[in-house]
Amino acid sequence: MQKGMEFLIYFDFDFYFAKRERLWLMLFKPRTEDHELLTLGSLNARMALDSGKRQYYLNKKKGYDGEVMFDAYTEKLECECLVLNDLLLKFNNKTFQIDSLLIAERVHQFEVKNFTGDYFYEDKKFYFLSKTEVENPINQLTRSESLLRQLFASLGFNLPIEGRVVFINPDFYLYQAPLDLPILFPTQINRHMQKLNTAPYRMNGKLKALADKLVAQSAQNYLESPYTQLPRYCYEDIKPGMNCMKCQAFSVVLSGKKLGCTVCGFEEKVESAVLRTVFEFKRLFPSEKLTTSRIYEWCGGIVSGKWVHGILERNFKKFNSNRWTYFE
């Protein structure tokens, strides 16, 4: 080893672990698609939803996509802070949802809206240009901010909260917006994040304890929350088959140990594609047993039953009953 190389290797590892620790510290609760959104996505691809349920799904998916767009900004922050995404909280039997919460020198609450098109503001109300009134997102922010402040007090924290409605989509414009509205337009987000980066704040264990409590309560609330917007369905209603992970088209063909999409050209290993399809089955039919014949049928017969059995055997625990073999 050349002279000086030993220090170089040590320095690189030290930098790597320091950077990994900073990223862990910041992204305290990452964003994931919830059970309802994932299930609706599967149902939308595999059956004909009625117009109301389909529109509900499209609106929910558009909102989630907007939140992911906002995450691209918070993930670049370099200040010491904790970022908690998609919190479902409750205080005094009142449930409220927060898109993004940033805990630093103060608490920054963000309500993200993926609105597109032209709107105008008048008499504390939001309208399309056609003068059709829409729900005022500032009212939603005000309610959740008030409940969050009360929740903090009940936990023994007296922290200032600064809330903003973030309009994330560049194809959005709001006419007649007063200067004092707690909103961020698309062109203002970068400057706001730069301002947050200048705060000379050091994270402490007390704030991490608060973040732990919020994440724990959110997880419990999601478990207890009923998914009332899901339509009724049964196995016979659902289209079987394997779709493309990238474009979602049911147009994959087997080529060696890979599945290729004839629409977009994306390729995926067979085992990965089968497992993805199995987990979709488990999400749609949680009480159904995983058997080779059922999963072979669910995959549309694209992959042989022997191959399916081997994948299940490698990735799940095998059980034998008097009538059949199943996996969990």
Side-chain angles (χ1 to χ4, degrees), residues 241-295:
M242 301 174 72
N243 60 354
C244 173
M245 186 173 73
K246 184 177 180 181
C247 74
Q248 308 305 312
F250 286 86
S251 56
V252 295
V253 293
L254 183 63
S255 178
K257 293 185 177 181
K258 291 184 177 181
L259 290 175
C261 179
T262 59
V263 173
C264 70
F266 180 78
E267 289 187 336
E268 184 180 10
K269 290 182 178 179
V270 168
E271 183 146 344
S272 172
V274 170
L275 286 174
R276 179 170 54 82
T277 309
V278 168
F279 288 124
E280 186 179 23
F281 176 84
K282 284 170 62 68
R283 184 169 58 248
L284 290 171
F285 308 104
S287 61
E288 287 273 346
K289 298 287 188 185
L290 292 184
T291 64
T292 299
S293 59
R294 177 64 96 185
I295 297 304

Side-chain angles (χ1 to χ4, degrees), residues 123-190:
D123 295 330
K124 298 183 179 181
K125 297 176 182 178
F126 274 70
Y127 298 89
F128 290 116
L129 286 188
S130 62
K131 294 190 176 181
T132 302
E133 185 178 353
V134 297
E135 185 178 2
N136 185 344
I138 297 174
N139 293 341
Q140 183 179 350
L141 175 72
T142 301
R143 176 184 180 273
S144 59
E145 188 177 323
S146 173
L147 289 169
L148 182 64
R149 189 174 292 107
Q150 295 174 69
L151 176 60
F152 280 176
S154 71
L155 296 173
F157 290 86
N158 183 22
L159 295 170
I161 300 174
E162 185 178 290
R164 292 281 190 279
V165 176
V166 181
F167 293 105
I168 194 70
N169 199 306
D171 187 25
F172 167 83
Y173 192 80
L174 181 64
Y175 291 93
Q176 302 175 184
L179 294 177
D180 61 349
L181 287 182
I183 61 178
L184 287 175
F185 292 111
T187 54
Q188 297 176 306
I189 301 173
N190 263 327

